[in-house]
PDB file of all heavy atoms in Angstrom:
ATOM      1  N   LEU A 302      36.601  -6.306  40.028  1.00 97.00           N
ATOM      2  CA  LEU A 302      36.926  -4.997  39.414  1.00 97.00           C
ATOM      3  C   LEU A 302      38.263  -5.052  38.727  1.00 97.00           C
ATOM      4  O   LEU A 302      38.430  -4.409  37.688  1.00 97.00           O
ATOM      5  CB  LEU A 302      36.991  -3.960  40.556  1.00 97.00           C
ATOM      6  CG  LEU A 302      35.645  -3.611  41.262  1.00 97.00           C
ATOM      7  CD1 LEU A 302      35.864  -2.672  42.439  1.00 97.00           C
ATOM      8  CD2 LEU A 302      34.624  -3.002  40.241  1.00 97.00           C
ATOM      9  N   LEU A 303      39.235  -5.825  39.229  1.00 97.00           N
ATOM     10  CA  LEU A 303      40.503  -5.927  38.512  1.00 97.00           C
ATOM     11  C   LEU A 303      40.334  -6.706  37.214  1.00 97.00           C
ATOM     12  O   LEU A 303      41.021  -6.353  36.222  1.00 97.00           O
ATOM     13  CB  LEU A 303      41.512  -6.608  39.432  1.00 97.00           C
ATOM     14  CG  LEU A 303      42.041  -5.794  40.634  1.00 97.00           C
ATOM     15  CD1 LEU A 303      42.897  -6.667  41.549  1.00 97.00           C
ATOM     16  CD2 LEU A 303      42.798  -4.566  40.183  1.00 97.00           C
ATOM     17  N   ARG A 304      39.477  -7.678  37.196  1.00 95.00           N
ATOM     18  CA  ARG A 304      39.232  -8.447  35.936  1.00 95.00           C
ATOM     19  C   ARG A 304      38.534  -7.477  34.944  1.00 95.00           C
ATOM     20  O   ARG A 304      38.732  -7.549  33.746  1.00 95.00           O
ATOM     21  CB  ARG A 304      38.391  -9.660  36.207  1.00 95.00           C
ATOM     22  CG  ARG A 304      39.023 -10.715  37.043  1.00 95.00           C
ATOM     23  CD  ARG A 304      40.216 -11.437  36.434  1.00 95.00           C
ATOM     24  NE  ARG A 304      41.414 -10.634  36.276  1.00 95.00           N
ATOM     25  CZ  ARG A 304      42.280 -10.351  37.230  1.00 95.00           C
ATOM     26  NH1 ARG A 304      42.043 -10.745  38.462  1.00 95.00           N
ATOM     27  NH2 ARG A 304      43.316  -9.640  36.972  1.00 95.00           N
ATOM     28  N   PHE A 305      37.680  -6.676  35.443  1.00 95.00           N
ATOM     29  CA  PHE A 305      36.983  -5.672  34.601  1.00 95.00           C
ATOM     30  C   PHE A 305      37.950  -4.678  34.055  1.00 95.00           C
ATOM     31  O   PHE A 305      37.921  -4.360  32.839  1.00 95.00           O
ATOM     32  CB  PHE A 305      35.927  -4.912  35.439  1.00 95.00           C
ATOM     33  CG  PHE A 305      35.067  -3.971  34.630  1.00 95.00           C
ATOM     34  CD1 PHE A 305      33.995  -4.421  33.972  1.00 95.00           C
ATOM     35  CD2 PHE A 305      35.331  -2.641  34.592  1.00 95.00           C
ATOM     36  CE1 PHE A 305      33.149  -3.556  33.185  1.00 95.00           C
ATOM     37  CE2 PHE A 305      34.586  -1.759  33.843  1.00 95.00           C
ATOM     38  CZ  PHE A 305      33.506  -2.253  33.139  1.00 95.00           C
ATOM     39  N   LEU A 306      38.958  -4.291  34.845  1.00 95.00           N
ATOM     40  CA  LEU A 306      40.016  -3.418  34.381  1.00 95.00           C
ATOM     41  C   LEU A 306      40.796  -4.091  33.255  1.00 95.00           C
ATOM     42  O   LEU A 306      41.113  -3.434  32.262  1.00 95.00           O
ATOM     43  CB  LEU A 306      40.969  -3.082  35.581  1.00 95.00           C
ATOM     44  CG  LEU A 306      42.368  -2.468  35.217  1.00 95.00           C
ATOM     45  CD1 LEU A 306      42.153  -1.052  34.588  1.00 95.00           C
ATOM     46  CD2 LEU A 306      43.225  -2.392  36.431  1.00 95.00           C
ATOM     47  N   GLU A 307      41.114  -5.336  33.433  1.00 94.00           N
ATOM     48  CA  GLU A 307      41.836  -6.054  32.405  1.00 94.00           C
ATOM     49  C   GLU A 307      41.093  -6.123  31.114  1.00 94.00           C
ATOM     50  O   GLU A 307      41.651  -5.982  30.014  1.00 94.00           O
ATOM     51  CB  GLU A 307      42.185  -7.487  32.920  1.00 94.00           C
ATOM     52  CG  GLU A 307      43.330  -8.131  32.124  1.00 94.00           C
ATOM     53  CD  GLU A 307      44.045  -9.177  32.969  1.00 94.00           C
ATOM     54  OE1 GLU A 307      43.446  -9.681  33.960  1.00 94.00           O
ATOM     55  OE2 GLU A 307      45.167  -9.490  32.635  1.00 94.00           O
ATOM     56  N   LYS A 308      39.813  -6.326  31.164  1.00 93.00           N
ATOM     57  CA  LYS A 308      38.933  -6.343  29.974  1.00 93.00           C
ATOM     58  C   LYS A 308      39.015  -4.988  29.268  1.00 93.00           C
ATOM     59  O   LYS A 308      39.101  -4.895  28.028  1.00 93.00           O
ATOM     60  CB  LYS A 308      37.482  -6.711  30.306  1.00 93.00           C
ATOM     61  CG  LYS A 308      37.257  -8.166  30.503  1.00 93.00           C
ATOM     62  CD  LYS A 308      35.812  -8.497  30.653  1.00 93.00           C
ATOM     63  CE  LYS A 308      35.232  -8.067  31.986  1.00 93.00           C
ATOM     64  NZ  LYS A 308      33.792  -8.447  32.188  1.00 93.00           N
ATOM     65  N   LYS A 309      38.919  -3.954  30.056  1.00 93.00           N
ATOM     66  CA  LYS A 309      38.886  -2.607  29.434  1.00 93.00           C
ATOM     67  C   LYS A 309      40.227  -2.211  28.858  1.00 93.00           C
ATOM     68  O   LYS A 309      40.351  -1.439  27.906  1.00 93.00           O
ATOM     69  CB  LYS A 309      38.498  -1.548  30.551  1.00 93.00           C
ATOM     70  CG  LYS A 309      37.033  -1.705  30.921  1.00 93.00           C
ATOM     71  CD  LYS A 309      36.103  -1.653  29.759  1.00 93.00           C
ATOM     72  CE  LYS A 309      34.666  -1.859  30.159  1.00 93.00           C
ATOM     73  NZ  LYS A 309      33.808  -1.967  28.997  1.00 93.00           N
ATOM     74  N   LEU A 310      41.352  -2.838  29.367  1.00 91.00           N
ATOM     75  CA  LEU A 310      42.623  -2.612  28.793  1.00 91.00           C
ATOM     76  C   LEU A 310      42.823  -3.171  27.400  1.00 91.00           C
ATOM     77  O   LEU A 310      43.707  -2.791  26.661  1.00 91.00           O
ATOM     78  CB  LEU A 310      43.684  -3.179  29.754  1.00 91.00           C
ATOM     79  CG  LEU A 310      44.053  -2.349  30.973  1.00 91.00           C
ATOM     80  CD1 LEU A 310      44.900  -3.161  31.951  1.00 91.00           C
ATOM     81  CD2 LEU A 310      44.782  -1.052  30.636  1.00 91.00           C
ATOM     82  N   GLU A 311      41.926  -4.130  27.036  1.00 88.00           N
ATOM     83  CA  GLU A 311      41.925  -4.703  25.740  1.00 88.00           C
ATOM     84  C   GLU A 311      41.253  -3.811  24.733  1.00 88.00           C
ATOM     85  O   GLU A 311      41.362  -4.052  23.525  1.00 88.00           O
ATOM     86  CB  GLU A 311      41.307  -6.084  25.736  1.00 88.00           C
ATOM     87  CG  GLU A 311      41.978  -7.050  26.675  1.00 88.00           C
ATOM     88  CD  GLU A 311      43.448  -7.282  26.372  1.00 88.00           C
ATOM     89  OE1 GLU A 311      43.822  -7.329  25.183  1.00 88.00           O
ATOM     90  OE2 GLU A 311      44.248  -7.339  27.352  1.00 88.00           O
ATOM     91  N   CYS A 312      40.479  -2.805  25.144  1.00 84.00           N
ATOM     92  CA  CYS A 312      39.730  -1.947  24.222  1.00 84.00           C
ATOM     93  C   CYS A 312      40.683  -1.100  23.494  1.00 84.00           C
ATOM     94  O   CYS A 312      41.637  -0.498  24.024  1.00 84.00           O
ATOM     95  CB  CYS A 312      38.773  -1.062  24.968  1.00 84.00           C
ATOM     96  SG  CYS A 312      37.478  -1.963  25.843  1.00 84.00           S
ATOM     97  N   LYS A 313      40.476  -1.037  22.183  1.00 80.00           N
ATOM     98  CA  LYS A 313      41.413  -0.190  21.306  1.00 80.00           C
ATOM     99  C   LYS A 313      40.777   1.164  20.930  1.00 80.00           C
ATOM    100  O   LYS A 313      41.451   2.099  20.505  1.00 80.00           O
ATOM    101  CB  LYS A 313      41.731  -0.979  20.033  1.00 80.00           C
ATOM    102  CG  LYS A 313      42.336  -2.326  20.219  1.00 80.00           C
ATOM    103  CD  LYS A 313      43.661  -2.228  21.068  1.00 80.00           C
ATOM    104  CE  LYS A 313      44.246  -3.606  21.311  1.00 80.00           C
ATOM    105  NZ  LYS A 313      45.425  -3.481  22.224  1.00 80.00           N
ATOM    106  N   ALA A 314      39.498   1.285  21.093  1.00 81.00           N
ATOM    107  CA  ALA A 314      38.754   2.516  20.737  1.00 81.00           C
ATOM    108  C   ALA A 314      38.105   3.078  21.977  1.00 81.00           C
ATOM    109  O   ALA A 314      37.825   2.375  22.965  1.00 81.00           O
ATOM    110  CB  ALA A 314      37.746   2.253  19.625  1.00 81.00           C
ATOM    111  N   HIS A 315      37.747   4.391  21.964  1.00 84.00           N
ATOM    112  CA  HIS A 315      37.067   5.073  22.976  1.00 84.00           C
ATOM    113  C   HIS A 315      37.743   4.796  24.345  1.00 84.00           C
ATOM    114  O   HIS A 315      37.142   4.483  25.306  1.00 84.00           O
ATOM    115  CB  HIS A 315      35.628   4.648  23.081  1.00 84.00           C
ATOM    116  CG  HIS A 315      34.905   4.762  21.783  1.00 84.00           C
ATOM    117  ND1 HIS A 315      34.695   5.957  21.151  1.00 84.00           N
ATOM    118  CD2 HIS A 315      34.335   3.817  20.977  1.00 84.00           C
ATOM    119  CE1 HIS A 315      33.994   5.766  20.021  1.00 84.00           C
ATOM    120  NE2 HIS A 315      33.771   4.513  19.871  1.00 84.00           N
ATOM    121  N   LEU A 316      39.100   4.990  24.354  1.00 84.00           N
ATOM    122  CA  LEU A 316      39.880   4.657  25.513  1.00 84.00           C
ATOM    123  C   LEU A 316      39.441   5.397  26.761  1.00 84.00           C
ATOM    124  O   LEU A 316      39.334   4.806  27.873  1.00 84.00           O
ATOM    125  CB  LEU A 316      41.320   4.938  25.278  1.00 84.00           C
ATOM    126  CG  LEU A 316      42.075   3.945  24.337  1.00 84.00           C
ATOM    127  CD1 LEU A 316      43.486   4.420  24.065  1.00 84.00           C
ATOM    128  CD2 LEU A 316      42.040   2.533  24.919  1.00 84.00           C
ATOM    129  N   ILE A 317      39.236   6.686  26.674  1.00 89.00           N
ATOM    130  CA  ILE A 317      38.789   7.462  27.874  1.00 89.00           C
ATOM    131  C   ILE A 317      37.456   6.973  28.425  1.00 89.00           C
ATOM    132  O   ILE A 317      37.316   6.711  29.585  1.00 89.00           O
ATOM    133  CB  ILE A 317      38.736   8.987  27.546  1.00 89.00           C
ATOM    134  CG1 ILE A 317      40.114   9.513  27.371  1.00 89.00           C
ATOM    135  CG2 ILE A 317      38.014   9.778  28.644  1.00 89.00           C
ATOM    136  CD1 ILE A 317      40.979   9.564  28.572  1.00 89.00           C
ATOM    137  N   GLU A 318      36.450   6.819  27.486  1.00 89.00           N
ATOM    138  CA  GLU A 318      35.124   6.355  27.937  1.00 89.00           C
ATOM    139  C   GLU A 318      35.213   4.959  28.595  1.00 89.00           C
ATOM    140  O   GLU A 318      34.545   4.705  29.524  1.00 89.00           O
ATOM    141  CB  GLU A 318      34.173   6.344  26.739  1.00 89.00           C
ATOM    142  CG  GLU A 318      33.843   7.693  26.199  1.00 89.00           C
ATOM    143  CD  GLU A 318      34.870   8.160  25.149  1.00 89.00           C
ATOM    144  OE1 GLU A 318      35.960   7.565  25.054  1.00 89.00           O
ATOM    145  OE2 GLU A 318      34.566   9.100  24.409  1.00 89.00           O
ATOM    146  N   ASN A 319      35.979   4.061  27.977  1.00 89.00           N
ATOM    147  CA  ASN A 319      36.044   2.710  28.492  1.00 89.00           C
ATOM    148  C   ASN A 319      36.914   2.593  29.803  1.00 89.00           C
ATOM    149  O   ASN A 319      36.616   1.759  30.624  1.00 89.00           O
ATOM    150  CB  ASN A 319      36.647   1.800  27.420  1.00 89.00           C
ATOM    151  CG  ASN A 319      35.654   1.411  26.375  1.00 89.00           C
ATOM    152  OD1 ASN A 319      34.574   0.892  26.681  1.00 89.00           O
ATOM    153  ND2 ASN A 319      35.951   1.620  25.144  1.00 89.00           N
ATOM    154  N   PHE A 320      37.914   3.392  29.783  1.00 91.00           N
ATOM    155  CA  PHE A 320      38.962   3.146  30.817  1.00 91.00           C
ATOM    156  C   PHE A 320      38.879   4.061  32.060  1.00 91.00           C
ATOM    157  O   PHE A 320      39.215   3.665  33.143  1.00 91.00           O
ATOM    158  CB  PHE A 320      40.281   3.327  30.111  1.00 91.00           C
ATOM    159  CG  PHE A 320      41.479   2.759  30.867  1.00 91.00           C
ATOM    160  CD1 PHE A 320      41.603   1.379  31.086  1.00 91.00           C
ATOM    161  CD2 PHE A 320      42.472   3.568  31.345  1.00 91.00           C
ATOM    162  CE1 PHE A 320      42.675   0.878  31.816  1.00 91.00           C
ATOM    163  CE2 PHE A 320      43.526   3.047  32.081  1.00 91.00           C
ATOM    164  CZ  PHE A 320      43.654   1.643  32.268  1.00 91.00           C
TER     165      PHE A 320
END
Side-chain angles (χ1 to χ4, degrees):
L302 293 175
L303 289 174
R304 297 291 69 78
F305 185 83
L306 167 65
E307 199 153 21
K308 280 189 286 184
K309 293 304 174 185
L310 282 168
E311 301 302 321
C312 296
K313 303 303 179 186
H315 308 295
L316 286 175
I317 289 293
E318 294 86 344
N319 279 307
F320 196 64

